[in-house]
Amino acid sequence: MTSLFTQEIRLSKRHEKIVSQRLMLLQQMESKLGNQNTEKPSQQQAETAFKRNLSLLKDIEAAEKSLQSKMQSHLPPEVVSLETCYWASVEEYIPKWEQFLLGQAPYPISVENQKEAENTVLNGTR
């Protein structure tokens, strides 16, 4: 009888251990399921936001192209000529300014031109 009683106690302890492990596993599963459920909406929201941003970016680019083409077509020839000359001048001076800004060359405009430019700005005349 004692051996049956001992065996019953051993089996009861083992049963408690199994039940506690089961409870722990169930809690872990619920936790993981909860995490997955919270991750899915946030991931879906991120994907939706990404698609929306791409759509907005395409719309902005299309609007920009449309505005540029409208501006180009309505500009007087004198303005187009001035714009072309301006960009040619900028491209001409880029290497000089680049070297100056990198500290590899002196100031790209001579001192006389610099003082003349300062006087023009200060006096508002040329």
Side-chain angles (χ1 to χ4, degrees):
M1 175 109 168
T2 336
S3 75
L4 288 176
F5 184 69
T6 310
Q7 187 177 5
E8 181 70 28
I9 292 174
R10 192 170 40 87
L11 287 174
S12 177
K13 286 182 181 181
R14 186 162 180 210
H15 175 72
E16 286 178 20
K17 184 179 177 183
I18 290 171
V19 168
S20 70
Q21 285 178 344
R22 180 179 179 267
L23 180 63
M24 210 166 52
L25 288 172
L26 283 172
Q27 289 173 345
Q28 287 176 355
M29 285 176 55
E30 286 176 0
S31 173
K32 284 185 180 182
L33 182 63
N35 288 344
Q36 286 176 350
N37 288 341
T38 57
E39 287 175 5
K40 283 182 182 178
S42 65
Q43 185 179 7
Q44 288 174 347
Q45 288 174 344
E47 288 174 4
T48 304
F50 180 75
K51 289 177 184 175
R52 183 193 66 230
N53 290 347
L54 275 178
S55 173
L56 288 172
L57 185 59
K58 287 178 183 177
D59 291 345
I60 289 171
E61 288 173 350
E64 183 181 10
K65 286 179 183 177
S66 172
L67 285 173
Q68 284 178 349
S69 66
K70 286 180 183 177
M71 283 180 55
Q72 296 271 332
S73 64
H74 295 311
L75 291 176
E78 297 86 14
V79 174
V80 174
S81 174
L82 284 172
E83 185 180 9
T84 304
C85 290
Y86 169 78
W87 286 112
S89 171
V90 167
E91 288 177 11
E92 177 185 337
Y93 277 95
I94 283 177
K96 296 174 186 175
W97 279 101
E98 223 172 21
Q99 295 303 314
F100 168 72
L101 293 172
L102 291 172
Q104 299 172 351
Y107 192 76
I109 299 175
S110 67
V111 176
E112 294 106 22
N113 289 345
Q114 182 182 0
K115 290 196 184 276
E116 183 182 317
E118 287 173 1
N119 289 337
T120 302
V121 170
L122 291 175
N123 297 332
T125 60
R126 185 154 166 103

